[in-house]
Amino acid sequence: MTADNPFQRAKAQLKKAGIKAGFSAKELEVLAEVSAVHEKELSVTVSGEKIKLMAFRVQHNDSRGPFKGGIRFHPEVNMDEVKALAFWMSMKCAVVGIPFGGGKGGVEVDAKSLSEKEYEDVSRAYIRGMAEHIGPDRDIPAPDVYTNPQVMAWMLDEYEKIKKRKAPGVITGKPLALGGSKARDYATAQGGVFALKQAADLLDLPPFKTRVAVQGFGNAGMHAARILSGIGYKIVAVSDSKGGIYDEHGLDIKKLIDHKKATGKVLGFEHTKDISNEDVLELESEVLIPAALGGVITPQNAGRIKAKIIVELANGPITPEADDILYKNDVFVIPDILANAGGVAVSYFEWVQNNMGYYWEEDEVLEKLGQLMFKAFRAVYETSKRLSIDMRTAAFVVGARRILEAEKLRGNI
Ligand code: NAD
């Protein structure tokens, strides 16, 4: 089945959007085409032994601007996955209207087994392998799974040493001291919250009437719970890899964050009932935020989901078959390429600030992010209504049309 191969799944999503929007075979071919694939063997010393690690950079489409996308360190990274992720980045950047194309990178490594020195060596080796293919106006990496601002700092430093000049715009998600942007650390969650507010308005769900369940309490999920509880939403359940907790009266998120920091898990938090990760998805709440893994909502559990709105902060939490069930059941899904685009949007703001050499206050970043998410949500929602299609397919239609417009202007179609 297509879901087994992420790039096949990406192409199936594109085809579905293409049928609804009437794209030609040539247009679909241009949209699916991968511009370049770079594969390198990195030589690094791990646990005293010289080893080779496979590293990838896929550049999908740059008709609207430089390639843009994160670098993940994971033992199961493979070319098909990186290609799919690069394709989704092209769509995501186009949906939110930022002048970037799509790229993605990866190193096949078990990051958890690396010492700090080894982490640094792998990060620098990646840049030595890929330096000729990246650049502030060519391809701009960022953090992804098991890479973080410190990794971006090592990568920036290595790139600048190779090029013998300063180039802060070559990579985003940097620490503030090296040209990072304010609000970048919680931008993904904040973007999702901006999108959720619009969906909640459409469904007449004011915060005080809205219960929220969050699967995953890491960067995306924890910040989403924190921001939503701060504006009056009731967070009734959260979970992490060790299990979930429930309180029908609403969790005190500030205290829960302290508890998670102290114990490494959400389980054991005061006055809560333990629940499983699966229960979190199915319990009574108006909003569900999957913010952990892909493929968690399947045909097996989609029919039991009670939420009226799902905000996909995770990438790909709903399988294509489950999507159809949710659409039939009138569940309003804010798809990943829209819901979690706040991260890449603020990466764009970071790159703009680097290019100007002038840095914005947090309020300014948030205001710009709010406007951008508002416009992106409206474009996708109006397309979904006009073509009578689900929000995911509509997001693909919006993104694909913008890429095609650029390709046509360049004379490529
Ligand atoms: P993270 O590593 O900070 O957090 C992941 C969380 O999920 C952790 O709390 C972990 O305990 C939990 N988790 C792992 N397995 C679980 C399971 N089986 N059930 C429930 N929880 C489980 O990662 P993150 O950056 O928050 O990313 C989460 C998701 O959001 C990923 O799908 C990622 O691709 C997507 N995303 C993140 C960003 C971002 O800027 N952080 C941007 C776009 C998309």
Side-chain angles (χ1 to χ4, degrees), residues 72 85 89 92 104 143-146 184-189 214-222 239-244 260 264 266 276-278 280 290-294 296 312-317 336 339-344:
R72 61 175 55 179
L85 291 164
M89 282 306 296
K92 195 182 287 192
K104 202 79 183 188
D144 195 70
V145 178
Y146 290 117
R184 174 64 181 84
D185 48 347
Y186 62 89
T188 300
V214 184
Q215 187 188 52
F217 206 61
N219 178 289
M222 186 185 74
S239 70
D240 61 24
S241 58
K242 309 215 174 70
K260 166 90 181 173
V266 294
S276 73
N277 257 309
E278 293 71 43
V280 174
L293 309 172
V296 291
E312 288 189 322
L313 285 188
N315 281 314
D336 46 9
N340 69 31
V344 73

